[in-house]
Amino acid sequence: MNVAFIIQAHADPGLLARFVSRIYGHGDIFIHLDAKVDIGPFKDTVRGKAEFINNRRRVTWGSSSILEAYMNLLEATSNTGYDYYSLHSGADYPCRPLREYIDFLKNNRGEEFIDYQPMPESFKYRYRQIHLGDFYKTVDRKTIYDRGVTFLARLISKALPERKEFLNWPPYLGANWCTVSHAFAASALA
């Protein structure tokens, strides 16, 4: 079973190094490090056990930049034809032996492991506010300039019509972290 562990990281080089050391030898390891972060300390702690991809993004929590970073990881790794791509956070750590995980993937070859469920009504207001409006706070409110940009973005967003849901598909939610087959990755990148 040929597995690519693909990791999105943004903080704590020591924790990332500990995770990488734990999964090292069970598959190839690729890391997307948030472009807002200095890569030096992370490379020093990982010590050649993982490859950092070059196409780094500035990632903002709750925004589409998380998905863009994930797609960058898939683009950087999918040309080698892994059986599975296992996406993790840099703050993850396995709670079970990796051999069990690899055996599970072998026994379920071709299956996708993605957690999702219909979005509850209690989440829909925030979803509509973030994903169907044109404004989402992407700057800190520490300076007068940042507050001004936020204020103007909100004004413009209120003046524009609300975007419609894609093809009237109902919204779903789920965990960011998943394991997908090569066929799934190729289809997502097509």
Side-chain angles (χ1 to χ4, degrees), residues 104-121:
F104 176 81
L105 294 177
K106 281 181 186 174
N107 294 333
N108 293 280
R109 188 178 293 270
E111 296 293 321
E112 313 303 332
F113 305 97
I114 304 171
D115 174 49
Y116 67 94
Q117 60 190 353
M119 184 177 291
E121 288 298 319

Side-chain angles (χ1 to χ4, degrees), residues 58-75:
R58 291 176 63 86
V59 177
T60 302
W61 183 89
S63 76
S64 61
S65 60
I66 294 172
L67 180 58
E68 291 164 358
Y70 182 26
M71 297 305 284
N72 289 351
L73 278 162
L74 284 178
E75 284 175 6

